[in-house]
Amino acid sequence: MNEKFRKKTRFQANFDGYFRLRYADKWQDCYIYDISESGTLLRIKQTLIVGDELEICLDINNTNDVIVGTVANVQGQVAGIEFKTKNINLIVDRAIERAFEEARKDKKKGF
């Protein structure tokens, strides 16, 4: 999606998470590229279609926050997700904090 059409500013996340189709039993690995109060960009290994409802689990500082979202667009293994969960500011703030911590670690390693 073009940045000027996004509802909220997205922050690079670059960490692992989990997702499942809504009400499915099995969680699957995903990679979270970026995140905002309104959505996220995921790399997944499952074929999704626009309109699929997902639950996304963010394991941040030993908390397992689950956010419900709808697939807004798909390009191969990358999916744009629009969050349906309301009042997720605290969850997103923790995700952004984790992203900054990961970036600091990478910088110290010389990446």
Side-chain angles (χ1 to χ4, degrees), residues 44 48-50 71-80:
I44 45 89
L48 299 173
I49 59 171
V50 172
V71 176
N73 59 66
V74 179
Q75 291 182 309
Q77 290 188 331
V78 178

Side-chain angles (χ1 to χ4, degrees), residues 23-34:
Y23 307 115
D25 292 329
K26 187 177 176 186
W27 289 94
Q28 299 181 51
D29 295 332
C30 67
Y31 185 78
I32 301 165
Y33 286 111
D34 63 30

Side-chain angles (χ1 to χ4, degrees), residues 11-80:
F11 297 91
Q12 286 187 336
N14 298 319
F15 57 82
D16 296 320
Y18 304 96
F19 82 99
R20 66 181 177 188
L21 289 171
R22 188 98 192 258
Y23 307 115
D25 292 329
K26 187 177 176 186
W27 289 94
Q28 299 181 51
D29 295 332
C30 67
Y31 185 78
I32 301 165
Y33 286 111
D34 63 30
I35 192 164
S36 76
E37 293 175 26
S38 62
T40 188
L41 187 65
L42 305 178
R43 182 180 70 221
I44 45 89
K45 294 180 182 175
Q46 178 177 336
T47 302
L48 299 173
I49 59 171
V50 172
D52 280 345
E53 284 193 0
L54 304 179
E55 294 175 307
I56 302 161
C57 180
L58 306 176
D59 181 11
I60 305 167
N61 299 330
N62 297 318
T63 63
N64 289 317
D65 296 311
V66 176
I67 301 171
V68 176
T70 302
V71 176
N73 59 66
V74 179
Q75 291 182 309
Q77 290 188 331
V78 178

